[in-house]
Amino acid sequence: MQQTKQQANNSSPRGVFITATDTGVGKTLVASALVMRLIQRGIDVGVMKPIETGVSRSARGQSDGARLKRAAGSCDSTTEVSPYVLRLPVAPLSAAQEEGTTIRVATIMRGFRALHQKHALMVVEGAGGVFTPITQSLNVLDLISKVKFPAIVVGHSGLGGINHALLTLHALRQRKIPVVALVLNQRRPVLEKTARVQEQSTVNILRRLAGVPVVGPLPYSLRVNRNWDEGLIHLAGTAPITKLARLVLACIIHEGSSRKRANRPGEGREARG
């Protein structure tokens, strides 16, 4: 455990960015369970949800940012963890315009850098999918590029999941953003035979075509819906989340080692020769 913690501390980029194929596919569930599992392994994890929409004043305690903070046992300030919390349940650009607010990436990055300095490893959760607009000129894909973390893509395991997942992975590759894994999540119970066949087809095809490790599908959980915190504890101990945590640590250690080799005098020339 101590060795793992030391590796996370000394590695770059020291974090992951959780994005998705769409909104409502389970980013916060996966991010929170991953955070809890990493903490169980003795790693100091910081969390951030830079932009969140659809949060009323009365529901702040159940927001994605609040859930991430609870999963991490975080005492970091809300202004750092969730700099933009907006009421309207629409894309960040529209939600901010409705409230007369301008989302400033500089504000997000200031909070991110402060958290990054405090913690051995960071888990950052995006809003919606990779092309969700944040400002008139920037989207979530641009934010991932600025953070410089490898991505985890969360998608749904049912019908339509193939196209959404492959398009998202293609967009990330186009921007040369490394992908740790594709995590598939059941958004609803898979009870009927047709739904089971559709899911198995989606999972099998994505395992062949995704080009990255495919984790899951995470089963739909009534426990999470009834009691988020209790259900999360159970999910954090499951085999898929344990596998995801291993992939994250392996990716971060590999990325850190690659960057160190690239920065050594003559290393790059020898590799090319």
Side-chain angles (χ1 to χ4, degrees):
M1 184 179 293
Q2 186 62 38
Q3 184 181 7
T4 303
K5 186 169 183 177
Q6 187 65 35
Q7 287 172 330
N9 270 306
N10 291 339
S11 297
S12 179
R14 291 178 31 236
V16 288
F17 194 108
I18 311 287
T19 189
T21 60
D22 201 350
T23 190
V25 295
K27 287 192 305 297
T28 305
L29 181 66
V30 171
S32 298
L34 173 62
V35 166
M36 191 170 283
R37 187 71 189 101
L38 289 168
I39 288 172
Q40 289 169 355
R41 293 192 61 163
I43 297 170
D44 171 30
V45 183
V47 296
M48 189 177 194
K49 174 82 177 186
I51 309 161
E52 185 170 0
T53 66
V55 183
S56 65
R57 291 185 183 278
S58 61
R60 289 288 178 106
Q62 297 305 313
S63 69
D64 294 346
R67 284 174 165 172
L68 282 171
K69 283 188 69 174
R70 287 205 304 276
S74 172
C75 296
D76 294 321
S77 71
T78 300
T79 54
E80 289 176 339
V81 174
S82 301
Y84 292 100
V85 181
L86 305 164
R87 291 190 300 275
L88 201 64
V90 294
L93 173 61
S94 298
Q97 289 174 338
E98 179 69 19
E99 294 188 22
T101 299
T102 300
I103 295 174
R104 301 189 186 280
V105 174
T107 300
I108 293 172
M109 294 306 295
R110 185 162 54 247
F112 167 74
R113 284 190 290 269
L115 291 167
H116 197 212
Q117 289 174 357
K118 294 179 190 178
H119 299 285
L121 191 149
M122 286 286 297
V123 173
V124 182
E125 181 191 336
V130 293
F131 287 114
T132 298
I134 295 172
T135 71
Q136 293 286 1
S137 59
L138 296 173
N139 57 28
V140 170
L141 199 54
D142 297 312
L143 183 58
I144 301 173
S145 294
K146 287 181 179 296
V147 168
K148 293 183 171 60
F149 279 173
I152 291 171
V153 177
V154 181
H156 67 91
S157 58
L159 191 64
I162 297 169
N163 187 58
H164 292 165
L166 295 181
L167 284 172
T168 301
L169 291 169
H170 176 71
L172 290 162
R173 289 191 183 105
Q174 289 289 99
R175 295 290 288 270
K176 295 182 169 51
I177 297 169
V179 178
V180 176
L182 168 65
V183 182
L184 298 178
N185 184 44
Q186 289 182 350
R187 294 195 292 185
R188 55 185 64 87
V190 180
L191 302 176
E192 298 177 358
K193 181 179 178 180
T194 300
R196 291 197 298 272
V197 170
Q198 288 171 338
E199 180 180 77
Q200 194 58 58
S201 171
T202 296
V203 173
N204 289 342
I205 290 174
L206 284 172
R207 283 179 177 155
R208 291 202 305 271
L209 300 182
V212 298
V214 176
V215 176
L218 303 180
Y220 177 82
S221 173
L222 280 174
R223 183 182 298 186
V224 169
N225 289 335
R226 290 171 180 164
N227 187 314
W228 173 273
D229 295 325
E230 180 184 302
L232 194 65
I233 292 169
H234 171 75
L235 181 61
T238 61
I241 296 300
T242 299
K243 176 182 178 180
L244 183 61
R246 286 199 303 265
L247 289 169
V248 167
L249 293 174
C251 178
I252 290 172
I253 292 166
H254 173 75
E255 287 289 318
S257 299
S258 298
R259 292 188 185 195
K260 286 177 183 177
R261 286 196 299 269
N263 289 333
R264 289 174 188 159
E267 187 80 22
R269 290 192 295 274
E270 290 173 9
R272 287 192 294 271

